[in-house]
Amino acid sequence: MKYRIALFILCLVILIFILPVNLYSQEYFITESYFIDDICNCDIDLDGDNDLIISSTYNGTNADSLFIYYNDGTGNLAKTSVNRRNGIFVHCGNIDNDEYPDIITKDANSILYIKNNGDSTFGEEIILAPTKGNRVIEYIEDMDGDGLNDLVYTYNAYYCKWGILKNEGDLLFTDHIIFDDGMGGNLFPRIGTLNNDNLPDVCLSYTPAGIHTLMNNGNLTFDTSLLCTTKASPRICKLNLSPPDDILIFSYNTDELILYENLGNNVFMNRNTVPLIDALSSTDIADLNDDGYDDYSFALCWWTGCTDSIYISINDHNWSFYKPQQYYVGPMEIFQTESADLNGDNFKDIIMYGYTPRNAFKILWNDGFGSFSYENPVGIGESLKPSSKLKIDVSPNPASDIITISFPDNFKNKNTDMIIFNVMGVEVRHVPVIQNDKEINVDISSLPAGLYFVVMKVENREVAEGKFLVLR
């Protein structure tokens, strides 16, 4: 027994000096001064793995750029840029019926098609339809079963309507308005399978009456039924193993997660209502542990006043979810996520953007057992910006009661904050440092065993970092 404990301690000590400080995860910077609008994923080069396509607008001085991160199958991402007009959204899908997925985006006036030539080059922008200011493409989907992908759109704020740009072939699209109340506001169609006819159906939110289900007749008409009077955000997803898909509703006004089971024949049963504490934005619905049940993630807000963390909750297979896990991201600004298996282990990872800095994204890597890490378990090799941060000395290391943190002489005459985080990115200590102090003592007796990171901030800028191990 003593031998096992000694071996465990030795392994942990070695781990401290092997692992780099990576509290905030690997960040991928598209380029200086650019601003990430949207991220989508698809196998754009048809080599069998998911690549990332990023919509990024500039300030008008330079041309807008799309950024494509080509994936080698293990999460090693190679960046290239394509100077094309774009903005607000980007989608990837087959539009011209060749074998390669194309890119759909927009500029100030038009919905744009960018052809994928299949050799890592792309055609010039081709206008498919006017935006009329607020038309946004939500999905690329074959809505009428004719083998051609259509464009599902919404008009928000001014028109409050949604419709389908039907693909007639040869890049000709005709406009079919499905819903228009003429009142303005927000309207969001969610696409999924609500019956067994293989046509994509719709769950429509924020109508004046509440949430509706729309069963697709195959000719761009739908049979509409009122699901509930709740005005909230629904998602079509898999909450049990019996097809067709079910419906999950994020009711932010009442802090509830409402679960509906699809019984077939357009009949839905409210199976459970789960408390949703202070959540203000759902970021993703996906099967994160490959068990056939969809899980979800959320943030406590999408702009300011946040915990600046993403929360991930796994489906418990009994019409509820396990306690959310918290992962620190960074100061959030219209926070969004995209999920895709990036390293070939068959588990969806989470790509995060819409935080400070706005020209970067991060990846939470999925271990397949319901936990996530900022370290790729398969291996990643994109060249990153070298760290310019100085190193903080922590002693003793490992420790159990009191640690002494020594910091570089460069900052001993400045007001400094010393912050300690656990491996989940949660702040556990915040210690102001008095000018001229060369070191501080910190009581860690109440901290659980594990690895911790120390970050030194001067004028809210991170300038030094270190790590230590707590043993119990």
Side-chain angles (χ1 to χ4, degrees):
M1 185 65 181
K2 290 182 178 180
Y3 170 78
R4 290 181 179 178
I5 294 175
L7 182 61
F8 173 73
I9 293 175
L10 177 61
C11 290
L12 288 177
V13 172
I14 293 174
L15 186 64
I16 285 183
F17 297 101
I18 292 178
L19 283 177
V21 174
N22 197 21
L23 174 62
Y24 300 109
S25 83
Q26 281 181 305
E27 281 189 294
Y28 301 82
F29 290 84
I30 54 174
T31 190
E32 298 296 338
S33 300
Y34 277 77
F35 182 99
I36 293 178
D37 286 319
D38 194 19
I39 297 179
C40 72
N41 78 88
C42 71
D43 185 6
I44 200 163
D45 53 1
L46 298 186
D47 66 348
D49 47 59
N50 289 310
D51 310 299
L52 300 179
I53 300 93
I54 297 177
S55 170
S56 171
T57 50
Y58 201 55
N59 60 8
T61 305
N62 293 25
D64 295 342
S65 287
L66 292 164
F67 292 89
I68 300 176
Y69 282 77
Y70 289 101
N71 189 352
D72 71 351
T74 63
N76 186 6
L77 304 176
K79 180 180 68 176
T80 186
S81 62
V82 181
N83 292 121
R84 300 291 185 272
R85 302 194 310 275
N86 69 90
I88 306 300
F89 65 82
V90 63
H91 295 288
C92 183
N94 195 318
I95 298 299
D96 52 16
N97 220 27
D98 65 4
E99 61 178 324
Y100 287 96
D102 308 298
I103 295 174
I104 297 294
T105 183
K106 67 169 286 186
D107 63 9
N109 302 306
S110 306
I111 305 297
L112 302 175
Y113 155 83
I114 300 172
K115 179 178 176 57
N116 183 354
N117 295 323
D119 57 358
S120 299
T121 66
F122 295 84
E124 297 299 319
E125 309 94 322
I126 294 177
I127 295 174
L128 297 183
T131 60
K132 298 180 181 178
N134 284 70
R135 176 148 50 184
V136 174
I137 303 301
E138 303 286 356
Y139 298 92
I140 299 177
E141 194 83 34
D142 182 6
M143 296 298 294
D144 54 0
D146 65 354
L148 297 174
N149 280 327
D150 310 300
L151 304 178
V152 179
Y153 70 82
T154 56
Y155 276 108
N156 284 322
Y158 295 130
Y159 301 106
C160 194
K161 63 184 178 184
W162 79 276
I164 298 169
L165 290 173
K166 174 177 166 50
N167 190 344
E168 306 286 0
D170 297 324
L171 300 183
L172 175 64
F173 288 78
T174 55
D175 193 354
H176 297 258
I177 298 174
I178 309 300
F179 181 93
D180 182 1
D181 69 0
M183 296 175 60
N186 293 319
L187 193 71
F188 296 104
R190 303 295 187 181
I191 305 297
T193 303
L194 294 178
N195 54 27
N196 294 315
D197 63 3
N198 297 319
L199 288 169
D201 305 300
V202 179
C203 191
L204 189 64
S205 66
Y206 294 109
T207 67
I211 296 175
H212 290 79
T213 58
L214 287 76
M215 299 298 177
N216 193 342
N217 294 318
N219 56 358
L220 301 186
T221 65
F222 297 82
D223 293 331
T224 303
S225 300
L226 182 66
L227 176 69
C228 63
T229 57
T230 302
K231 292 180 174 63
S233 176
R235 300 294 183 92
I236 298 177
C237 57
K238 298 183 185 299
L239 298 178
N240 65 27
L241 297 180
S242 300
D245 292 348
D246 309 296
I247 295 176
L248 180 69
I249 299 174
F250 286 85
S251 180
Y252 306 120
N253 292 332
T254 59
D255 285 336
E256 292 175 326
L257 199 64
I258 307 170
L259 287 66
Y260 279 90
E261 181 181 6
N262 190 343
L263 302 179
N265 298 317
N266 204 16
V267 176
F268 294 85
M269 176 188 295
N270 185 343
R271 291 298 304 265
N272 197 8
T273 299
V274 179
L276 195 61
I277 307 301
D278 293 331
L280 289 179
S281 67
S282 60
T283 61
D284 217 339
I285 305 290
D287 183 2
L288 297 174
N289 55 355
D290 200 30
D291 61 356
Y293 294 79
D294 280 340
D295 314 295
Y296 77 96
S297 60
F298 65 94
L300 294 192
C301 77
W302 63 286
W303 184 249
T304 59
C306 311
T307 60
D308 295 332
S309 298
I310 187 174
Y311 296 81
I312 302 172
S313 190
I314 302 299
N315 197 314
D316 71 354
H317 301 183
N318 192 31
W319 297 99
S320 190
F321 295 85
Y322 292 113
K323 181 180 178 181
Q325 304 170 61
Q326 179 184 6
Y327 298 89
Y328 180 78
V329 179
M332 291 181 176
E333 297 182 10
I334 316 182
F335 180 67
Q336 299 178 74
T337 64
E338 178 82 2
S339 61
D341 176 18
L342 295 179
N343 55 7
D345 61 0
N346 296 319
F347 300 112
K348 291 184 177 180
D349 310 297
I350 298 178
I351 303 101
M352 304 176 294
Y353 60 105
Y355 61 91
T356 301
R358 290 303 307 271
N359 65 334
F361 67 92
K362 303 177 183 180
I363 299 172
L364 269 176
W365 300 95
N366 189 347
D367 70 359
F369 298 97
S371 295
F372 293 78
S373 171
Y374 286 135
E375 297 289 339
N376 184 355
V378 174
I380 191 161
E382 193 208 24
S383 59
L384 302 174
K385 289 188 172 183
S387 175
S388 59
K389 297 174 186 174
L390 300 172
K391 298 302 178 184
I392 294 172
D393 180 60
V394 181
S395 62
N397 194 358
S400 57
D401 297 313
I402 303 292
I403 58 171
T404 299
I405 301 175
S406 304
F407 42 92
D409 289 339
N410 313 47
F411 305 104
K412 68 179 182 180
N413 294 320
K414 299 181 180 181
N415 289 324
T416 304
D417 290 295
M418 200 71 64
I419 306 171
I420 299 176
F421 298 88
N422 63 20
V423 292
M424 303 290 285
V426 178
E427 180 181 315
V428 296
R429 293 286 188 276
H430 190 147
V431 183
V433 180
I434 301 174
Q435 284 188 5
N436 298 321
D437 278 355
K438 294 183 179 181
E439 60 184 30
I440 57 173
N441 294 325
V442 180
D443 184 356
I444 59 166
S445 59
S446 61
L447 295 181
L451 187 62
Y452 292 84
F453 302 92
V454 183
V455 173
M456 178 180 178
K457 286 188 175 184
V458 174
E459 298 176 352
N460 207 34
R461 181 172 63 91
E462 296 170 20
V463 296
E465 58 191 6
K467 57 193 170 196
F468 63 95
L469 188 68
V470 173
L471 296 181
R472 294 286 174 240

